[in-house]
Structure formats: structure tokens, C-alpha cells
């Protein structure tokens, strides 16, 4: 928000270089597939391309001055998000409409517009470079194909989707972080029903990112917590929180799936272990065998109530604990009310809509 872009060295925990130039808040940041080009966009209506320094054994080297952008593209409206193609030279910006850009052109290659509301997030498909998904402020999730001149499909939900992420191992599936405290996993071939609903947050989910393994994803929420979910599980396996961390607006998995990086509005970046109890550093063969044996024992007896309670127990801050209890009470009351309404109505007059479909209003093609 302070117009500052920094490149960090995680191992040494220091800033490698800075990229000054934006005159407003930087809303989107992405890198090309080879990691050499950095693309940034913001509320100052500009898209800037930067040359990323090359890491060496002792320091970082670059052929150009990293403080100067390679190109600056000025446009008419502010930008809210940007994402780069996994294989190619195209990148997409989200704003008043969806624009597709090329590295070598100062004007958009193509533009898509479906409705009048602004697009707030965009993600390219990791398996098919020409397909991308967007979420808009009109509560819609839309799929686009760059080979077609018009958008492909769209669903309207009851609440707004803040962020979208594709599963890198199953590129037909994506998960949406929603304003109603839940995340919804969809199959892009069948959008009328969610594959799984991930529930545990007590406030709006602001960002989401998949692990490179595709087996789990991390979410950051407005309730000041970070959670890690299995890709097919309804509840989180891990929750991270600190006393000083405020609203979490962005989260990312590292490329080796060992760390999680989070950014919150208390102006700090935080580095977390993806597995909180995992030992860092090089493991000796005996240590590795010991850890494998302990995991096997836990997995064998995980069905026992005592073991299950110990494995699942996580300490929660008091506000989160009370909000979760209140949320469970409200949901139980709604369920009882629905059961009573169904019991005292004519047979077949009221049908029960599953939660996977309840939050979808309609599908548009």
C-alpha cells in the first residue's frame, strides 16, 4: 500500500533490491515462468515490467539497473490484480475489465467484459495456458478461454469471492476463497455444484494458495488467522496465529512446500513452517527413520479417541474460539428450523438443498 516493491532473500531475511516507481498502492504482483520478469500493477493505472536480479553464490547480479522498469504501460482505469501465463509471454490484469497483455506490446492484446462490475482477482490455469478464472465484485466466478472471442462460463454466488487458485496437480479443479468464511472447491467442467466446502474460518477468507504438491492449500482470513486445509477435507489440519498479527490479506506457499509466507496489515511479512512440528535442516538417516516410524504409529492409531483428540487439538485465541462457538450455534439453529419446517409441511413441498449447492444462485453460459 506504500507503493513499495521489495525482493527478499528468505534464507538471510533481508531485502535484496527495491523497485520504486508506482505512485499508488501496488495491488498485483506476479513473475514470469522463468522468474526473470516481474509484473506489477496498481491503483495509479500503470503496469510495470521489471528485470529480476539473478542470484549467485555471494550476491545478486543483474544485467540492468533493477530500480528502473523495463516497460511502463499506462491505462485508463486502476488495476486490482495481475497473473502471468504459466507457459508463454502473456499476462492478465483485472480491473474494470479483464485485459490480456503481451511483454512486447504497450496495448492489451485482447479484452473481455462480462457485466459492468470490476474484476478483483485473476488466475491462469497451470495445465492449459489459454484458460483463466476470475472473480468479480458482482459475486461471480467466470472462466475465460483466450482462443475464443467471448467468455466461456460463469456462476453467480450469494457472496463475493476474494481470491481463486487452481490445483497444480489437478488443473481442472480450483478453489475459491469466499466472503462467507468458507472456501469452495469446484470442478471447472461442472460448476453447478461444489466438490467440497472447507469450513473453519470465522470471518471472510481474503487469499488462498495451493501447495506445489496439490494435496493442500493455505488460506488467510480477516479473522487474523492462517489455516492449512487438505484439498479434499472440510476442516483445516493446522492454524497459525500470533498476538500482534492483524488481518491477513495475502498468503503463499514456497515452491518446495516447506514454508508459508503471509502478509498482514500490521506491515509485516511472516514466514511459517508448513508442518509446524517438522525438524528443519539436514536429517541423519537414523533421524529420518525415527520420524517415519513415529508418523506410522500415529497413522495406525489415529482412529482412537485419545489419539484423535491430541492430534486435532489446537489452541485458539479467545475471540476466535467464541466466534466459532457462536457460528456453530447459529448453524445448528438454522438446521433445526429447516427440519421443523420440513416436518410440518406437505410431503415433497420443501426440498433440502445440500450445502455444496446452497451458495450458488445460478450458472450462466
Amino acid at each position: 500500500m506504500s507503493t513499495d516493491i521489495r525482493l527478499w532473500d528468505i534464507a538471510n531475511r533481508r531485502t535484496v533490491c527495491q523497485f520504486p516507481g508506482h505512485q499508488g498502492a501496488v495491488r498485483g504482483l506476479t513473475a514470469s515462468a522463468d522468474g526473470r520478469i516481474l509484473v506489477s500493477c496498481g491503483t495509479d493505472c500503470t503496469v510495470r515490467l521489471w528485470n529480476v536480479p539473478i542470484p549467485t553464490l555471494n550476491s545478486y547480479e543483474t544485467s540492468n539497473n533493477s530500480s528502473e522498469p523495463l516497460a511502463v504501460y499506462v491505462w485508463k482505469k486502476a488495476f486490482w490484480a495481475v497473473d502471468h501465463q504459466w507457459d508463454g509471454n502473456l499476462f492478465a490484469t483485472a480491473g474494470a475489465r479483464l485485459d490480456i497483455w503481451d511483454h512486447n506490446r504497450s496495448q492489451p492484446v485482447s479484452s473481455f467484459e462480462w457485466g459492468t462490475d470490476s474484476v478483483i482477482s485473476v488466475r491462469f490455469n497451470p495445465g492449459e495456458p489459454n484458460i483463466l478464472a476470475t472473480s468479480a465484485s458482482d459475486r461471480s466466478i467466470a472462466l475465460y478461454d483466450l482462443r475464443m472471442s467471448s467468455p466461456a462460463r460463469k456462476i453467480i454466488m450469494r457472496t463475493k469471492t476474494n481470491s481463486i487458485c487452481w490445483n497444480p496437480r489437478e488443473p481442472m479443479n480450483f478453489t475459491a476463497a469466499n466472503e462467507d468464511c468458507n472456501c469452495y472447491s469446484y470442478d471447472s467442467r461442472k460448476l453447478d455444484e461444489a466438490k467440497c466446502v472447507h469450513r473453519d474460518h470465522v470471518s471472510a477468507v481474503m487469499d488462498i494458495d495451493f501447495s506445489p504438491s496439490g494435496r493442500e492449500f493455505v488460506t488467510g482470513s480477516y479473522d487474523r488467522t492462517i489455516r492449512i486445509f487438505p484439498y479434499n477435507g472440510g476442516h483445516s489440519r493446522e492454524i497459525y496465529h500470533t498476538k500482534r498479527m492483524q488481518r491477513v490479506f495475502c498468503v503463499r506457499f514456497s515452491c518446495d512446500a516447506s514454508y508459508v509466507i503471509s502478509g498482514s496489515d500490521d506491515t509485516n511479512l511472516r514466514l511459517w513452517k508448513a508442518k509446524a512440528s517438522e525438524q528443519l535442516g539436514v536429517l541423519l538417516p537414523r533421524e529420518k527413520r525415527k520420524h517415519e516410524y513415529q508418523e506410522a504409529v500415529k497413522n495406525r492409531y489415529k482412529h482412537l479417541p485419545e489419539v484423535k483428540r491430541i492430534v486435532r487439538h489446537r489452541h485458539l485465541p479467545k475471540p476466535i474460539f467464541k466466534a466459532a462457538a457462536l457460528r456453530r450455534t447459529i448453524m445448528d439453529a438454522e438446521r433445526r428450523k429447516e427440519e421443523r419446517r420440513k416436518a410440518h409441511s406437505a410431503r415433497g413441498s420443501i426440498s433440502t438443498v445440500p450445502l455444496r449447492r446452497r451458495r450458488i444462485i445460478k450458472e450462466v453460459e
Side-chain angles (χ1 to χ4, degrees):
M1 299 300 291
S2 64
T3 75
D4 192 17
I5 302 173
R6 292 171 180 256
L7 180 65
W8 293 84
D9 183 357
I10 293 181
N12 297 318
R13 303 176 188 178
R14 63 183 180 88
T15 301
V16 173
C17 64
Q18 294 180 258
F19 304 97
H22 279 281
Q23 301 300 316
V26 182
R27 304 296 306 199
L29 205 61
T30 186
S32 59
D34 58 2
R36 300 296 302 276
I37 302 296
L38 182 71
V39 184
S40 64
C41 66
T43 56
D44 57 354
C45 308
T46 63
V47 176
R48 297 172 186 265
L49 272 63
W50 313 83
N51 189 46
V52 179
I54 304 171
T56 60
L57 290 176
N58 298 323
S59 61
Y60 280 73
E61 296 178 358
T62 179
S63 56
N64 295 341
N65 186 359
S66 62
S67 63
E68 293 296 328
L70 297 176
V72 179
Y73 306 146
V74 182
W75 201 234
K76 306 168 188 175
K77 300 290 181 71
F79 298 104
W80 294 99
V82 64
D83 193 45
H84 200 283
Q85 204 174 21
W86 283 65
D87 185 17
N89 292 325
L90 300 180
F91 61 91
T93 56
R97 61 182 184 180
L98 178 66
D99 295 315
I100 310 300
W101 303 73
D102 191 289
H103 286 185
N104 303 317
R105 296 187 60 179
S106 60
Q107 297 289 327
V109 176
S110 58
S111 298
F112 297 94
E113 198 167 0
W114 197 345
T116 56
D117 285 355
S118 59
V119 183
I120 57 178
S121 72
V122 57
R123 283 292 181 96
F124 271 98
N125 189 300
E128 178 54 62
N130 293 311
I131 293 179
L132 66 159
T134 63
S135 64
S137 55
D138 61 353
R139 302 167 297 162
S140 67
I141 299 174
L143 299 180
Y144 296 85
D145 193 336
L146 301 185
R147 295 164 295 191
M148 301 170 60
S149 58
S150 61
R153 304 171 72 188
K154 179 169 76 169
I155 58 172
I156 308 294
M157 300 190 67
R158 295 190 181 276
T159 46
K160 186 177 68 173
T161 297
N162 292 315
S163 182
I164 288 177
C165 190
W166 295 90
N167 189 329
R169 294 296 181 182
E170 299 173 357
M172 75 290 292
N173 299 331
F174 66 88
T175 304
N178 206 268
E179 196 81 13
D180 65 351
C181 316
N182 298 333
C183 296
Y184 299 90
S185 292
Y186 290 97
D187 189 331
S188 58
R189 301 164 296 185
K190 188 176 183 294
L191 291 177
D192 59 342
E193 180 180 354
K195 291 187 65 177
C196 185
V197 181
H198 312 276
R199 299 176 292 178
D200 266 344
H201 282 293
V202 296
S203 190
V205 187
M206 303 305 297
D207 198 16
I208 182 173
D209 190 46
F210 260 96
S211 165
S213 65
R215 301 295 92 183
E216 56 189 16
F217 60 87
V218 60
T219 59
S221 174
Y222 208 71
D223 61 10
R224 298 174 292 190
T225 63
I226 300 163
R227 289 183 183 266
I228 298 178
F229 290 85
Y231 79 106
N232 57 356
H235 296 280
S236 61
R237 71 159 179 86
E238 195 63 77
I239 176 172
Y240 295 138
H241 57 85
T242 64
K243 192 171 288 188
R244 296 190 62 182
M245 185 170 68
Q246 298 302 311
R247 272 73 175 173
V248 182
F249 287 105
C250 56
V251 287
R252 285 293 181 271
F253 254 106
S254 63
C255 290
D256 60 354
S258 298
Y259 300 99
V260 169
I261 300 110
S262 67
S264 51
D265 65 356
D266 57 313
T267 70
N268 288 325
L269 290 173
R270 287 179 170 84
L271 186 66
W272 314 80
K273 288 194 292 186
K275 294 181 180 178
S277 60
E278 188 178 42
Q279 181 178 339
L280 296 180
V282 180
L283 296 180
L284 298 175
R286 289 180 61 187
E287 291 178 317
K288 186 176 291 187
R289 287 195 299 269
K290 176 193 172 187
H291 291 316
E292 291 173 353
Y293 174 76
Q294 290 175 339
E295 288 297 324
V297 171
K298 285 193 292 184
N299 189 52
R300 180 174 182 177
Y301 297 105
K302 65 181 180 181
H303 63 281
L304 298 178
E306 297 87 351
V307 177
K308 186 186 297 185
R309 183 183 63 82
I310 294 171
V311 171
R312 291 189 56 187
H313 176 73
R314 295 292 183 274
H315 175 74
L316 291 175
K318 189 177 289 187
I320 305 294
F321 183 81
K322 289 185 176 180
L326 177 62
R327 184 171 169 79
R328 282 194 300 270
T329 303
I330 294 173
M331 292 176 64
D332 291 342
E334 291 177 352
R335 179 180 51 79
R336 289 195 302 270
K337 184 177 181 180
E338 186 70 22
E339 290 175 353
R340 290 169 182 168
R341 182 185 289 115
K342 191 174 181 179
H344 293 82
S345 301
R347 185 183 297 274
S349 61
I350 296 179
S351 59
T352 302
V353 181
L355 182 62
R356 296 190 302 272
R357 294 186 179 182
R358 200 176 302 162
R359 306 300 298 177
I360 301 175
I361 297 178
K362 65 178 180 177
E363 181 180 2
V364 183
E365 294 189 4

